[in-house]
């Protein structure tokens, strides 16, 4: 068997179908809900900062609420990012 006996490479498959773009209304709703989810994150940073400045550490009774607010705020940032990035693509 020589090099010339090898079969030719398979032709490339069909090009991928273009993805459907998201509607502008859905993008706007995602951005609005993302902004709404930023508010608990801002409150968490505010109350956590006040708690730290008063006693030097976050009080144990407010710590879970601060953590929850930060997680919700991060979710808002992710939602806004997905709305903006998905619209460009």
């Amino acid at each position: 068997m020589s090099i010339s006996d090898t079969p030719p490479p398979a032709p490339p498959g069909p090009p991928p179908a273009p993805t459907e773009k998201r509607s502008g209304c859905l993008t706007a709703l995602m951005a609005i809900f993302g902004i709404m989810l930023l508010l608990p994150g801002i409150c968490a940073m505010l109350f956590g900062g006040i708690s730290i400045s008063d006693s030097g550490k976050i009080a144990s009774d407010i710590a879970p609420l601060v953590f929850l607010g930060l997680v919700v705020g991060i979710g808002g940032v992710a939602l806004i990012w997905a709305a903006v990035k998905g619209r460009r693509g």
Side-chain angles (χ1 to χ4, degrees):
M1 181 168 176
S2 66
I3 293 177
S4 62
D5 292 339
T6 58
T19 59
E20 294 183 21
K21 287 193 173 187
R22 188 171 48 230
S23 70
C25 184
L26 181 60
T27 301
L29 284 173
M30 288 174 69
I32 290 169
F33 282 123
I35 291 170
M36 287 172 41
L37 289 176
L38 288 178
L39 296 176
I42 293 169
C43 288
M45 289 192 305
L46 179 71
F47 290 127
I50 290 172
S51 178
I52 289 174
S53 68
D54 286 346
S55 63
K57 61 180 181 170
I58 295 179
S60 62
D61 57 343
I62 198 172
L65 296 175
V66 170
F67 179 73
L68 180 64
L70 289 175
V71 169
V72 170
I74 290 170
V77 170
L79 192 59
I80 293 170
W81 179 75
V84 171
K85 182 171 166 90
R87 188 67 181 152
R88 289 184 190 161

